[in-house]
């Protein structure tokens, strides 16, 4: 199933173009129901959790979590997306260079503990952002180029604190009908990417086919939500 999309490549510039042209059908204007459904499992009784959002866009989930008292760090290539996040939520922000990341900037919210790095995700590291107690991955693993998944998984694992709880949203569909993105990520690949160092639990699977995906030519689309936690040593 993976062979059809193995060589599909989206350049960073293409993602920036989508933001510039407002071709952002992947953005959701409401908090993702899977995050709402499973937030208690992610928090596991903890307060003031540091959340990481890879390829964060302008996800409203970030403000929802920050309003609960958690801190949020995101990475996003599009400066427009980051500025729109703060503007859409009527939040003021500061803008600073990141000395360890030439060319990158960090945008910090004044009212909430939210720091968004405008950078190539693969240049980000725990040296820059520290480790995280939670990660919400909606639209990130499914968006990166399939050939980069091992590199992506290694980065995510390197950012996980010992008590990290990583909520991952993936999609299953017939890749012969649509080239992506979002890309197909089967359960067995989730396990092969993360299973050596983490426990992987499937929390939920549901039919998420809408007219938008029917327009891509799809006849089914299953969304699957996994909880990934570091194995205890």
């Amino acid at each position: 199933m993976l062979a059809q999309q193995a060589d599909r490549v989206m350049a960073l510039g293409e993602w920036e173009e989508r933001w510039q042209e407002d071709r952002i059908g992947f953005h959701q204007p409401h908090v993702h129901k899977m995050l709402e459904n499973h937030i208690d499992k992610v928090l596991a009784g903890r307060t003031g959790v540091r959340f990481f959002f890879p390829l964060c866009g302008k996800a409203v989930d970030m403000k929802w979590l920050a309003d609960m008292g958690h801190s949020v760090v995101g990475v996003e290539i599009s400066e427009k997306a980051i500025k729109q996040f703060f503007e859409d939520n009527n939040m003021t922000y500061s803008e600073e260079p990141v000395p360890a990341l030439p060319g990158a900037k960090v945008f910090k919210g004044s009212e909430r503990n939210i720091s968004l790095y405008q950078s190539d995700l693969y240049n980000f590291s725990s040296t820059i952002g520290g480790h995280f107690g939670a990660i919400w991955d909606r639209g990130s693993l499914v968006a990166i180029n399939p050939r980069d998944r091992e590199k992506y998984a290694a980065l995510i694992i390197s950012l996980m604190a010992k008590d990290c709880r990583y909520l991952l949203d993936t999609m299953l569909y017939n890749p012969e009908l649509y080239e992506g993105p979002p890309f197909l990520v089967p359960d067995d690949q989730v396990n092969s990417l993360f299973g050596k160092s983490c426990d992987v639990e499937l929390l939920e699977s549901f039919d998420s086919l809408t007219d938008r995906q029917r327009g891509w030519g799809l006849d089914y689309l299953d969304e699957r939500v996994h909880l990934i936690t570091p194995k205890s040593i």
Side-chain angles (χ1 to χ4, degrees), residues 100-189:
L101 277 179
K105 301 177 192 173
V106 59
F107 296 77
K108 296 181 179 180
S110 308
E111 297 86 2
R112 292 287 183 273
N113 195 346
I114 300 175
S115 298
L116 305 183
Y117 288 80
Q118 189 258 316
S119 169
D120 180 336
L121 178 65
Y122 299 115
N123 292 335
F124 190 76
S125 68
S126 59
T127 307
I128 293 156
H131 294 91
F132 297 91
I135 300 170
W136 172 219
D137 186 331
R138 181 260 153 189
S140 185
L141 177 59
V142 298
I144 64 159
N145 296 325
R147 63 174 64 169
D148 293 333
R149 284 178 186 165
E150 298 280 353
K151 178 169 69 169
Y152 178 91
L155 172 62
I156 293 293
I157 291 167
S158 76
L159 295 173
M160 296 171 88
K162 288 180 181 176
D163 64 346
C164 185
R165 300 176 75 77
Y166 168 31
L167 196 65
L168 169 66
D169 186 38
T170 60
M171 295 179 181
L172 294 181
Y173 61 81
N174 182 353
E176 292 182 352
L177 300 177
Y178 179 63
E179 66 174 359
F183 298 108
L184 164 82
V185 183
D187 291 359
D188 59 356
Q189 188 167 46

Side-chain angles (χ1 to χ4, degrees), residues 5-16:
Q5 297 180 338
D7 296 322
R8 175 87 165 102
V9 172
M10 282 274 291
L12 285 179
E14 292 181 73
W15 287 109
E16 290 186 281

Side-chain angles (χ1 to χ4, degrees), residues 3 19 24 31 34 69 72 83 101 115 131 144 161 185 199 201:
W19 279 102
I24 52 169
V31 175
M34 290 302 99
V72 172
K83 288 182 173 177
L101 277 179
S115 298
H131 294 91
I144 64 159
V185 183
D199 293 317
E201 178 189 358

Side-chain angles (χ1 to χ4, degrees), residues 13-24 78-81:
E14 292 181 73
W15 287 109
E16 290 186 281
E17 277 177 21
R18 287 190 178 200
W19 279 102
Q20 289 301 328
E21 297 167 7
D22 288 321
R23 291 186 294 122
I24 52 169
S78 168
E79 183 173 319
K80 180 179 179 180

